[in-house]
Amino acid sequence: MPKKENIQNMFDSIAPEYDYLNHLLSMDIDKRWRKKAVKEIVDTEKPQKILDVACGTCDFTIAIARKAMTDNAYEGELHTEITGIDISEGMMRIGKKKLTKAGFCKDGDFVSVELIQGDCECLPFEQNSFDRISAGFGVRNFEHLDQGLKEMYRTLKPGGKVVILELSVPGNRIIRNLYKMYFTKLLPLIGGRISGKRSAYNYLPASVLKFPGPNEFQGMLRNAGFKNIRHKALSLGICRLYTGIKQ
């Protein structure tokens, strides 16, 4: 796994084309995955403090905020505070523009959203700070994955939930082979041609293939301290949804 500085520089360089290519190359399936994950995050019965780790260009952050806005506005009293954190200034610059366009800001009535540039493996928050911690397609880029998971556990409140979406490799052999062919051949070709950053789009599929499988990753969540760990395969295992509780 590349060093943090390399990851930061890489995502800074592909930030302008990242959203377009992300939705194009996933055929917009990623939007459905986020929708499923958001249901695990937003609570309609009480105010929440939510941390979106490795928030990037804020697609997940905005999905959470929209769900919270709908539910909180319906209830009329709840207020959700969402904080997004990412190491890439370039990605967050795009995210800030998207948040403004979507109507979310730091001082919102029902939902407030704030972005902070920082190291997700050394979160700048006190322990027991958040009711929910989310991460959408970002933890595979951690240099020290175990440390990042421990930081999520540390900053989560007792009784709080972590919700992680991550790309994966399908279990079915035939589907897996087709997936790998697309992921390692076609995706870098298209991504590299559009962005001009072929190396970045070689790295992205490689990072998925190297990411721990479901059993190993659930073991890492367990080692970080989480309990009641759940795992769900989405779209034949192309994406996986993990949840865990801090008791």
Side-chain angles (χ1 to χ4, degrees):
M1 184 68 67
K3 299 293 184 182
K4 288 186 180 69
E5 294 80 5
N6 294 334
I7 289 289
Q8 181 178 0
N9 292 336
M10 183 193 71
F11 279 105
D12 282 347
S13 72
I14 65 174
E17 298 85 17
Y18 182 81
D19 282 339
Y20 171 73
L21 282 168
N22 192 36
H23 298 312
L24 173 67
L25 295 171
S26 72
M27 295 174 284
D28 274 347
I29 300 174
D30 58 308
K31 295 178 181 178
R32 298 208 299 266
W33 298 334
R34 290 188 188 90
K35 188 174 181 180
K36 290 180 181 293
V38 162
K39 293 179 181 179
E40 297 282 350
I41 299 169
V42 176
D43 191 333
T44 62
E45 298 181 355
K46 60 182 180 180
Q48 288 181 289
K49 293 186 67 176
I50 301 171
L51 176 65
D52 189 22
V53 170
C55 64
T57 61
C58 295
D59 271 354
F60 206 9
T61 316
I62 291 171
I64 295 167
R66 282 177 173 158
K67 175 66 173 174
M69 174 65 80
T70 300
D71 293 341
N72 290 358
Y74 177 78
E75 294 293 335
E77 297 179 356
L78 304 182
H79 182 86
T80 296
E81 298 178 22
I82 303 171
T83 302
I85 184 169
D86 197 278
I87 197 171
S88 169
E89 182 180 359
M91 296 285 278
M92 294 187 72
R93 189 181 303 118
I94 303 293
K96 288 178 182 178
K97 292 178 181 178
K98 290 164 62 177
L99 283 166
T100 300
K101 184 176 180 179
F104 296 111
C105 63
K106 185 177 179 180
D107 301 314
D109 291 334
F110 294 109
V111 178
S112 58
V113 184
E114 181 179 14
L115 298 184
I116 298 174
Q117 183 183 9
D119 185 351
C120 297
E121 297 175 21
C122 186
L123 295 171
F125 310 107
E126 295 182 359
Q127 65 179 10
N128 306 330
S129 293
F130 299 97
D131 301 289
R132 298 284 188 273
I133 295 182
S134 62
F137 314 115
V139 296
R140 73 179 186 277
N141 298 311
F142 287 2
E143 184 176 359
H144 305 291
L145 179 56
D146 53 348
Q147 178 61 27
L149 296 177
K150 289 176 181 178
E151 279 292 274
M152 293 183 195
Y153 184 85
R154 180 185 67 81
T155 54
L156 194 63
K157 294 179 182 179
K161 182 193 294 185
V162 65
V163 179
I164 297 174
L165 271 177
E166 193 51 84
L167 294 174
S168 185
V169 179
N172 180 279
R173 181 174 59 84
I174 296 175
I175 296 174
R176 181 171 64 248
N177 289 338
L178 291 172
Y179 173 75
K180 284 185 176 180
M181 185 180 300
Y182 167 76
F183 217 39
T184 60
K185 304 296 183 182
L186 189 58
L187 185 149
L189 179 64
I190 298 173
R193 182 166 296 177
I194 293 176
S195 70
K197 307 292 190 305
R198 178 66 182 260
S199 61
Y201 284 89
N202 283 326
Y203 161 75
L204 291 173
S207 68
V208 175
L209 297 177
K210 292 180 181 179
F211 191 74
N215 291 335
E216 184 180 355
F217 187 61
Q218 288 178 91
M220 296 183 74
L221 286 167
R222 195 172 296 112
N223 289 339
F226 293 103
K227 307 295 184 182
N228 299 332
I229 298 164
R230 299 287 184 268
H231 156 255
K232 180 181 293 186
L234 306 177
S235 300
L236 302 175
I238 294 175
C239 178
R240 298 182 188 273
L241 173 61
Y242 300 91
T243 62
I245 304 295
K246 178 176 179 177
Q247 294 184 342

